[in-house]
Amino acid sequence: MKFFLLMLGLCISTAVCAQEISSHYKIFDVKKQKTITIDDIVSDMMANDVLFFGEDHNDSIGHYVEAEIFKKLGAAYSQKIALSLEMFHTDVQPEVDEYLAGLISEKNFIKEGRAWGNYKDYKPLIEYAKQHQLKVIAANAATRYSNAVTMGGLKALENFPKASFNFLPPLPVDTAKGRYYEKFTETLGGHNMGSMKIYQTQNLWDATMAWSISKFIKANKGTKVLQLNGRFHSDEKLGTLAKLAQANPKLKILNISSFSDESFSKPDWEKFKNLGDYIIITDPAVKRSY
């Protein structure tokens, strides 16, 4: 497995490696009820505005697929495609823009842009955007705002100065109920006051990412957006996706749920059909952990 992961990092752009890696993921179109290719998703985006890629953050093959999707979207739609990332916060948009423009070093970008520890997994997308002069949206709420909500609930945001709302969505931030809340409490193992504040933080992340995307699209008419986030934020078209659809009902949105699963050799697609428009299952034999 170590050899495979090394090859994945070294030869990701060659046709031979692409053919090898393609044997380690499968894509299922829920509506068409059949397995498809990345090219099919890219074609479907002709009639759509936003594509959510719900990832497992530690899935090497998933990261490869999202980079391939972005490159193919870039080739198909030229300057009319942008990348939106959970992995960067709204207050570092200047650092993102400066790096894409070639004005600051990668070292400064990673440090001052507060890049995630596994930035190397997103580097191919950032470098493609830089090379092709595509825009990248730093979409998520900064940790200081998340911590404030976790400690004091969403009402804590009311105490922040007006300038802070250059980086935050308008108040009030709606706290989603129903299925999304049920999923969250199942994940945390039950409901209590502490988990409710954490849930409000989750809703802040969702609202901030949705606001970032919506704001960008309004300012860049006709530009399609690929949004990357942990799949909890978009599975079942909940979370960030639901908030974006609520903020801008005219948007046509597709979503991918991508994850490693032990059923890879013979997936039960019916089991996963509620998760998204497309299901990507990756080979657990080459999943990387951090």
Side-chain angles (χ1 to χ4, degrees):
M1 191 208 321
K2 288 182 179 178
F3 175 75
F4 179 86
L5 293 174
L6 176 62
M7 293 301 292
L8 178 61
L10 292 176
C11 62
I12 201 165
S13 64
T14 70
V16 173
C17 285
Q19 185 175 9
E20 165 65 20
I21 295 167
S22 68
S23 67
H24 293 282
Y25 66 87
K26 297 174 181 178
I27 309 174
F28 185 75
D29 187 312
V30 171
K31 184 177 181 180
K32 296 176 183 176
Q33 288 288 292
K34 65 177 184 179
T35 55
I36 60 169
T37 67
I38 290 174
D39 290 333
D40 294 316
I41 297 176
V42 172
S43 294
D44 288 347
M45 278 300 290
M46 177 67 73
N48 290 274
D49 304 302
V50 182
L51 175 63
F52 277 75
F53 192 110
E55 65 168 39
D56 275 352
H57 296 317
N58 63 347
D59 187 348
S60 302
I61 301 300
H63 290 307
Y64 169 83
V65 175
E66 62 197 13
E68 285 300 293
I69 289 174
F70 185 50
K71 292 173 186 176
K72 286 179 178 285
L73 286 170
Y77 303 110
S78 188
Q79 298 297 312
K80 291 295 185 179
I81 186 71
L83 177 66
S84 177
L85 296 170
E86 173 193 0
M87 301 79 196
F88 286 93
H89 302 133
T90 54
D91 63 336
V92 300
Q93 188 67 59
E95 287 84 349
V96 172
D97 294 341
E98 288 162 5
Y99 180 68
L100 294 176
L103 300 172
I104 63 174
S105 69
E106 183 181 52
K107 182 178 180 180
N108 284 133
F109 168 57
I110 290 172
K111 180 180 179 180
E112 296 178 40
R114 306 195 304 274
W116 282 15
N118 65 325
Y119 172 70
K120 61 185 178 296
D121 291 319
Y122 307 105
K123 179 175 177 175
L125 294 101
I126 296 289
E127 293 303 320
Y128 182 87
K130 184 179 181 182
Q131 180 183 355
H132 295 273
Q133 299 180 312
L134 302 178
K135 294 183 178 180
V136 177
I137 307 163
N140 205 3
T143 305
R144 61 186 182 274
Y145 303 128
S146 303
N147 288 345
V149 173
T150 301
M151 294 294 293
L154 284 166
K155 286 189 70 65
L157 295 177
E158 297 174 5
N159 299 320
F160 278 83
K162 185 177 180 180
S164 299
F165 284 87
N166 291 323
F167 314 116
L168 286 166
L171 297 181
V173 172
D174 177 50
T175 304
K177 300 295 184 183
R179 175 60 184 154
Y180 195 54
Y181 180 64
E182 291 170 4
K183 284 180 63 177
F184 187 85
T185 53
E186 287 167 8
T187 302
L188 263 66
H191 166 71
N192 56 58
M193 288 303 294
S195 66
M196 176 52 75
K197 289 180 180 178
I198 296 172
Y199 182 62
Q200 290 185 357
T201 304
Q202 179 84 8
N203 280 263
L204 171 64
W205 294 333
D206 291 328
T208 306
M209 288 189 280
W211 169 69
S212 297
I213 297 167
S214 182
K215 183 174 64 169
F216 176 87
I217 289 176
K218 287 178 181 177
N220 297 270
K221 300 291 186 182
T223 301
K224 301 177 187 296
V225 174
L226 172 63
Q227 157 75 5
L228 304 189
N229 50 244
R231 66 189 187 96
F232 194 94
H233 288 288
S234 52
D235 273 2
E236 300 183 44
K237 301 197 173 184
L238 301 171
T240 306
L241 195 157
K243 288 190 183 300
L244 178 60
Q246 183 180 29
N248 193 337
K250 292 183 179 180
L251 288 178
K252 296 179 179 179
I253 305 170
L254 295 172
N255 76 316
I256 295 168
S257 182
S258 176
F259 51 92
S260 173
D261 195 80
E262 294 298 328
S263 70
F264 176 75
S265 61
K266 193 175 181 181
D268 179 3
W269 297 114
E270 185 71 15
K271 178 180 176 183
F272 306 118
K273 68 178 184 179
N274 67 313
L275 296 177
D277 296 295
Y278 313 101
I279 310 301
I280 298 179
I281 294 182
T282 65
D283 188 348
V286 293
K287 180 175 180 178
R288 179 173 65 224
S289 297
Y290 296 98

